[in-house]
Every structure is written in C-alpha cells, then in structure tokens.
Amino acid sequence: MVSARVNGHEVVDVPRRGYNVVALDGRDGYVLWGDNFDTFKSPAESRRMAERIATLPTGTIVIAGVKTDGGGQLTAEGVAALRSIGGQQDLQRTLWLAHALIGIKGAPPGSAVEASGPGT
C-alpha cells in the first residue's frame, strides 16, 4: 500500500506496483503532479521516472513510495533521479523491498527522509 497525504488529502489516486511519485511546489505545497512508474516490469518506466523528475525545478518537494516491488527493472537513471531529490538507497536488481522517501529536488544524496527494507 502506498499513501501520501498533503493537508489531509490523499494525493496518490490509485497506488500501483512500482514507484508512486508526487511532486509538490516547494513554496506553497501545491500538488504539481503525481504519477506511477512500474519499475518492476520495465526499464523504460525507470527511464520515464528519471525524465519526469529531471523536469522539476530545484526546490520541488518530492514524495516517492514503492508498492509491492520497484527494484526489478530499476535502472541507474532511476536511481540517479531518486538521488537528485536527496535519496540514497539503490534498489536495483532487488525484489520485494519497500522504499519510501520525501526529498527536495537538488538536495544532496542522503539528505531525504528515507526508509527501505523488507516488509511494508
């Protein structure tokens, strides 16, 4: 299960397998977009996630969480995108690991609030 609430409102419409990502304006918390990237199934989805995150301006708040599995086809580009928002974990070629992070675009790797591991 993946859930992200902003001001009491759920912003992940329908959580799906892989990374569920929500981008918020860094000034006012307005939801810019939310998207799902099935990085378990397809390396193209990992690249698409990297491309979406790359378009965000510095200072954007980003929430990312894995439902079911996100590491099966996660690529180096996907990991780099998560690191560009302050993430540090690398779930490439892993199975069934949870991963959640809240970071800021342009922050150094390791600066996000982040957790990963087996279970939920």
Side-chain angles (χ1 to χ4, degrees):
M1 172 80 169
V2 171
S3 175
R5 292 178 184 261
V6 176
N7 295 324
H9 294 32
E10 180 63 45
V11 293
V12 176
D13 292 330
V14 179
R16 294 183 182 98
R17 180 179 64 192
Y19 277 91
N20 292 271
V21 180
V22 177
L24 309 172
D25 187 297
R27 295 167 298 194
D28 59 15
Y30 178 79
V31 177
L32 300 173
W33 56 261
D35 204 347
N36 168 263
F37 307 92
D38 190 352
T39 54
F40 171 78
K41 176 178 123 178
S42 167
E45 285 289 288
S46 185
R47 288 188 292 275
R48 189 172 72 82
M49 178 176 73
E51 290 167 2
R52 287 274 339 242
I53 291 173
T55 66
L56 296 171
T58 299
T60 302
I61 301 165
V62 183
I63 303 167
V66 167
K67 179 180 179 190
T68 310
D69 192 311
Q73 296 297 317
L74 184 64
T75 64
E77 295 97 338
V79 172
L82 295 171
R83 288 188 174 152
S84 78
I85 59 172
Q88 185 172 357
Q89 301 300 316
D90 180 349
L91 270 63
Q92 287 183 87
R93 297 176 300 282
T94 64
L95 293 174
W96 319 121
L97 293 181
H99 188 202
L101 70 98
I102 301 171
I104 298 174
K105 178 68 185 280
S111 64
V113 176
E114 182 176 38
S116 67
T120 55

